[in-house]
Amino acid sequence: NHKGGSGKSTLAMHLAIGLMKEGRRVACLDLDFQQRTLSTYIENRGAWAKEKNVKLDVPTNLCIDGFKSDKSFLSDSARISLLSSALSAYEADHDSIIIDTPGGANAVTIFAHGLADTLITPVNDSFLDLDVIFRPKTASGQVLMAPQYTETVRRALEARRTVTRKKMDWLVVRNRTL
């Protein structure tokens, strides 16, 4: 979801822990190098478990810019290269790789969407959240232009089809239900 605050990082963490509880080896890649929400959560979970001497499942994690000590700007092509390298490194030792993307669209997130075997998009119970995925026909039956995020997914799927015939599952899940 391009919209910030929809619960992408929270869902990624719950998914990672759930898969680990099933005995799967999980790696997480955090593409949100500015917020680092998922990375910070994983780091805090590991530190708390160590401090309390408690065994907790903690997935392998890499923030795509996290290992750069100088915090200099990386281009999209450099981030795509780092993402590709990280995926190659993690594939052999992990059953599942979860990629957490930031709000907004850029070449890196579109590339990541195209890599996904399963794309999970959280939305809150809000027409503002639904509007980034779906727009109904007008009263006269006119179909409006596809929302930006839906267009991003379409572009990612087109790019994916140029390199593989494997299908992508796209799940849209309700988040923060009362």
Side-chain angles (χ1 to χ4, degrees), residues 127 130-131 133-145 147:
F127 286 118
L130 291 174
D131 193 54
I133 295 170
F134 170 77
R135 290 200 185 120
K137 294 178 182 177
T138 64
S140 65
Q142 178 185 7
V143 178
L144 299 174
M145 186 174 85

Side-chain angles (χ1 to χ4, degrees), residues 17-106:
I17 299 303
L19 289 168
M20 292 179 78
K21 294 284 183 199
E22 289 185 351
R24 297 187 190 195
R25 300 164 300 161
V26 177
C28 293
L29 297 174
D30 189 349
L31 299 186
D32 194 349
F33 57 91
Q34 292 177 324
Q35 287 283 105
R36 298 187 83 247
T37 305
L38 181 61
S39 293
T40 300
Y41 188 96
I42 291 170
E43 291 162 6
N44 290 344
R45 182 179 175 89
W48 185 89
K50 185 176 181 178
E51 176 186 318
K52 301 296 183 186
N53 198 28
V54 174
K55 183 171 175 19
L56 285 179
D57 291 322
V58 179
T60 302
N61 183 62
L62 172 68
C63 183
I64 210 66
D65 285 4
F67 55 86
K68 288 184 49 67
S69 59
D70 65 356
K71 304 295 182 205
S72 62
F73 178 77
L74 287 176
S75 67
D76 282 345
S77 61
R79 286 191 180 102
I80 287 171
S81 179
L82 287 171
L83 174 56
S84 296
S85 297
L87 287 171
S88 294
Y90 286 156
E91 279 180 322
D93 297 328
H94 296 85
D95 303 308
S96 299
I97 300 173
I98 297 170
I99 302 174
D100 185 32
T101 59
N106 61 47

Side-chain angles (χ1 to χ4, degrees), residues 113-116 150-168 170:
H113 278 66
L115 296 172
T150 300
E151 184 60 24
T152 296
V153 173
R154 186 193 64 73
R155 287 178 29 220
L157 283 170
E158 272 182 16
R160 181 183 174 93
R161 282 188 211 107
T162 66
V163 294
T164 185
R165 291 213 180 275
K166 285 178 63 177
K167 299 271 184 189
M168 176 203 303
W170 184 15

